[in-house]
Amino acid sequence: MRASGLRRLPLLVLVLLAVAAAGSGEHDFRRDFEVVWGEGNARFRDGGRQVELSLDTRTGARLQSKQRYLFGRFDIDIKLVPGESAGTITSFYICTGGARHDEVDFEFLGNTSGDPYLLHTNIFSDGKGEREQQFVLWFDPTESFHTYSILWNPHNIILYIDGVPIRVFRNNAARGVPFPAAQPVHVFASIWDAEDWATQGGRVKTDWAKAPFVAAYRRYNVSNACVWDEEHGRARCPTATTGGRRRRREAAWMAQKMDWWSWMTLSWVRMNYMVYDYCDDQRRFPDGSPPECVIPIGRA
């Protein structure tokens, strides 16, 4: 794994993308989420604007958004567990639940001190996952907060870090690849013990003498998302206004796709920081790659 000497993204690129991605949106974790697991291990700070989730020998913790959403951009800042964190997983994801669930994952696999975190991403559609891509990062995610974003609209799912696109899953339903488009999702944040697989395939176990393991979340932003109306069974989407008459129109994020600069940046990330791509795993797929892998990455 490319752990040391990682080349950093050009400073100008980082600055421009981070500024473009910065969402403000004042949200209160206590108001917007419920603790569905490990209540005593979720500690709210700064008037609810920040939450710390901890893992100890007793339990981890999981937050679930009170509202559901059908399409949206979901942003959150995370500072990961510092030091020894082997066996732990800190996560941020959206999920519908159910046997034929849709899900988009950011999962940060803990490390032994001095080794890099591994970012594990996966996308489920109609109950089918096994679409793992893994990355090392161009920064230390334990030193400060960084913004992790999921953009989900009818055209594609794009994962970002500080505004830098790292993964895209296009809507190729017309080519027989199921795409999440009908089931509303909850937003989740969690920390849990997965020592059977999280670090070096489970070879390195959790050192409970180092517990509790604490990850911090802040600046949760869903101002660009379609809220699911539970009573009427439909989504209510924010709209933009234009012209002197303030005519309402579809918000820009709902139509957002990858532009040429995004494709170039994504390619650069893949070349320098991707360490696993399910599309290239011939052991898992000896009879041929999954259908979405055959479609050129920049083509719907």
Side-chain angles (χ1 to χ4, degrees):
M1 185 184 300
R2 287 161 284 192
S4 62
L6 293 178
R7 287 173 287 175
R8 295 184 178 274
L9 284 171
L11 179 59
L12 179 59
V13 173
L14 276 176
V15 171
L16 290 176
L17 291 172
V19 169
S24 50
E26 281 295 322
H27 288 270
D28 185 334
F29 282 100
R30 294 175 302 186
R31 181 195 66 206
D32 300 329
F33 285 84
E34 55 186 349
V35 184
V36 294
W37 172 46
E39 185 172 1
N41 284 24
R43 296 178 176 84
F44 299 96
R45 311 288 191 191
D46 191 21
R49 287 182 289 272
Q50 181 170 315
V51 63
E52 294 177 351
L53 301 183
S54 63
L55 169 67
D56 55 30
T57 55
R58 181 180 58 89
T59 186
R62 178 184 296 136
L63 303 182
Q64 174 183 295
S65 65
K66 293 180 180 178
Q67 292 183 317
R68 292 195 294 168
Y69 306 89
L70 184 64
F71 302 124
R73 176 164 178 144
F74 310 91
D75 303 289
I76 201 165
D77 286 6
I78 308 174
K79 183 163 67 172
L80 298 180
V81 177
E84 182 74 23
S85 57
T88 71
I89 292 182
T90 303
S91 69
F92 165 55
Y93 61 103
I94 59 175
C95 183
T96 64
R100 301 180 66 174
H101 71 288
D102 301 327
E103 183 174 341
V104 182
D105 297 327
F106 275 102
E107 293 183 326
F108 300 90
L109 312 188
N111 64 346
T112 55
S113 296
D115 289 340
Y117 260 88
L118 190 65
L119 170 57
H120 179 92
T121 69
N122 201 354
I123 295 174
F124 290 76
S125 55
D126 197 29
K128 182 185 182 306
E130 297 186 332
R131 297 186 176 100
E132 301 91 344
Q133 290 182 355
Q134 296 181 337
F135 305 82
V136 291
L137 303 173
W138 53 90
F139 54 86
D140 183 345
T142 71
E143 289 185 345
S144 59
F145 285 94
H146 291 267
T147 304
Y148 304 92
S149 306
I150 300 169
L151 172 68
W152 169 41
N153 64 29
H155 307 288
N156 43 217
I157 295 167
I158 308 174
L159 305 186
Y160 296 92
I161 301 177
D162 293 331
V164 177
I166 66 163
R167 179 170 187 176
V168 62
F169 183 73
R170 303 292 298 272
N171 185 345
N172 286 304
R175 296 173 178 251
V177 181
F179 183 83
Q183 301 185 83
V185 302
H186 284 287
V187 182
F188 294 87
S190 65
I191 186 170
W192 49 291
D193 176 41
E195 66 175 8
D196 57 332
W197 71 275
T199 306
Q200 296 182 28
R203 291 188 294 274
V204 180
K205 304 301 183 182
T206 306
D207 183 357
W208 293 107
K210 301 294 193 303
F213 306 98
V214 181
Y217 297 74
R218 71 177 188 185
R219 292 183 180 174
Y220 170 63
N221 185 10
V222 287
S223 58
N224 292 315
C226 300
V227 178
W228 185 253
D229 186 330
E230 301 289 350
E231 181 179 354
H232 298 96
R234 63 189 182 196
R236 293 183 286 104
C237 298
T239 56
T241 58
T242 184
R245 297 181 181 179
R246 299 184 65 80
R247 185 170 56 189
R248 298 172 69 85
R249 60 179 174 82
E250 183 179 80
W253 65 265
M254 184 63 93
Q256 183 176 339
K257 299 180 182 180
M258 297 278 286
D259 57 18
W260 72 271
W261 181 255
S262 298
W263 283 117
M264 289 182 62
T265 307
L266 178 70
S267 297
W268 193 90
V269 170
R270 289 173 59 88
M271 286 189 296
N272 290 279
Y273 300 105
M274 178 183 283
V275 295
Y276 176 80
D277 184 358
Y278 73 107
C279 287
D280 298 331
D281 195 334
Q282 296 181 358
R283 289 187 178 181
R284 287 179 60 188
F285 305 107
D287 298 324
S289 300
E292 67 271 17
C293 298
V294 180
I295 303 168
I297 189 172
R299 186 178 303 167

